[in-house]
Amino acid sequence: MSNRPYIVGNWKMHGTRAMLAEARAIDRAAERLIKVEVAVAPPFTLIHATRKEAELIGIGAQDCHPAEGGAHTGDISAAMAKDAGASFTIVGHSERRADHGESNTLVKQKAEAAIEAGMGVIVCVGETLDDREAGKAEATVGRQLKGSLPEGEGVAEQVTVAYEPVWAIGTGKTPTPEDIVAMHKHIRAKLVEVYGEDGAAIRILYGGSVKPENAAEILSGKEVGGALVGGASLTAESFLGIIIAAAGDGEE
Ligand code: 13P
């Protein structure tokens, strides 16, 4: 695992070719911000063009189908996303779990398919507000991890986990720094349970209303290895604000 903070922009269902200028600006700035590992996950339609525009930053997909190919109208396999230029894919985002009824089992199949295709994965987990208020946040996240994490020889090296409380996504609300650290600690323990020693090196990102204003505090939390950023990754200006905060002391 790299010790550099890993800042990933998830563009969700945003972006036409007009947004490539943002990717270019992020990429140019990344050249100076070498203390931070930066990536964006544009929609499938922009993966190829973004890869061509941006030389330094990582490019990922937001999802993949678990099958290698076949009669699955409208779906994209991991190999296709990779061929278009993605080196990793997000799986199990709460919006996919909610919009498409994705189960932990399906998320795990997707993660394993992506790794089989030679990609890294960012496996997303996170509790709802009801879970948190009922004191079940850790149990929910633990269950999601157990069901969603890919299995197999050497897979841990390809895994990043993103903790995204559902109630913090796009709401401007975030857990307290103490709650973020407590959950990351819980996730670390689960990763070690599942992968043994290799689990100690897996990066755990926080996601949910990360902005330039709160990034430094969130990223200073123990075990917080970076951020998965939605809304604030859509312009180079705000995304770079987060990357600069992650760099800690400016631009080197
Ligand atoms: P926001 O940063 O818009 O809250 O989205 C977070 C997220 O879902 C990233 O995957």
Side-chain angles (χ1 to χ4, degrees), residues 63-66 91 96 102 106-114:
D63 181 45
C64 68
H65 192 278
V91 291
R96 291 210 59 89
E102 293 194 3
L106 180 61
V107 173
K108 178 178 177 173
Q109 287 168 352
K110 290 181 173 199
E112 290 178 352

Side-chain angles (χ1 to χ4, degrees), residues 1-251:
M1 174 182 67
S2 160
N3 287 327
R4 290 190 297 166
Y6 187 31
I7 307 296
V8 183
N10 173 9
W11 285 3
K12 307 191 178 182
M13 200 169 73
H14 297 286
T16 56
R17 280 176 295 164
M19 238 170 104
L20 293 174
E22 303 298 328
R24 203 176 322 129
I26 293 163
D27 194 59
R28 296 254 162 86
E31 195 174 357
R32 286 178 287 120
L33 295 160
I34 54 169
K35 282 189 182 167
V36 185
E37 189 175 343
V38 179
V40 294
F44 287 125
T45 47
L46 287 181
I47 288 175
H48 186 60
T50 310
R51 182 67 287 162
K52 283 173 84 176
E53 274 312 311
E55 292 174 359
L56 298 171
I57 61 174
I59 306 294
Q62 299 172 16
D63 181 45
C64 68
H65 192 278
E68 275 177 44
H72 303 288
T73 302
D75 281 313
I76 301 283
S77 73
M80 289 170 180
K82 186 171 181 234
D83 183 56
S87 58
F88 70 91
T89 183
I90 298 169
V91 291
H93 193 283
S94 63
E95 286 150 14
R96 291 210 59 89
R97 290 178 187 263
D99 293 356
H100 300 273
E102 293 194 3
S103 64
N104 290 324
T105 307
L106 180 61
V107 173
K108 178 178 177 173
Q109 287 168 352
K110 290 181 173 199
E112 290 178 352
I115 292 170
E116 182 68 28
M119 302 170 87
V121 290
I122 299 180
V123 180
C124 300
V125 293
E127 82 283 0
T128 62
L129 191 56
D130 282 353
D131 290 329
R132 179 150 290 271
E133 286 177 349
K136 294 181 184 159
E138 290 195 356
T140 297
V141 167
R143 208 167 38 246
Q144 289 173 334
L145 286 169
K146 195 158 179 281
S148 309
L149 286 171
E151 283 181 288
E153 187 72 23
V155 297
E157 279 174 30
Q158 303 307 325
V159 174
T160 297
V161 169
Y163 166 54
E164 299 204 307
V166 177
W167 53 273
I169 295 175
T171 59
K173 295 184 190 147
T174 55
T176 63
E178 293 75 28
D179 283 344
I180 292 176
V181 168
M183 185 60 88
H184 279 239
K185 201 172 150 199
H186 176 67
I187 292 171
R188 174 68 63 213
K190 292 284 160 202
L191 290 172
V192 170
E193 236 173 80
V194 174
Y195 296 119
E197 251 176 51
D198 294 346
I202 290 176
R203 275 194 289 214
I204 310 171
L205 314 181
Y206 168 79
S209 296
V210 177
K211 308 267 180 275
E213 301 75 42
N214 62 15
E217 183 173 32
I218 290 172
L219 291 166
S220 69
K222 196 165 176 336
E223 301 284 11
V224 180
L228 185 54
V229 184
S233 73
L234 296 176
T235 65
E237 191 187 357
S238 58
F239 196 44
L240 287 172
I242 293 170
I243 296 166
I244 289 166
D249 55 358
E251 306 207 341

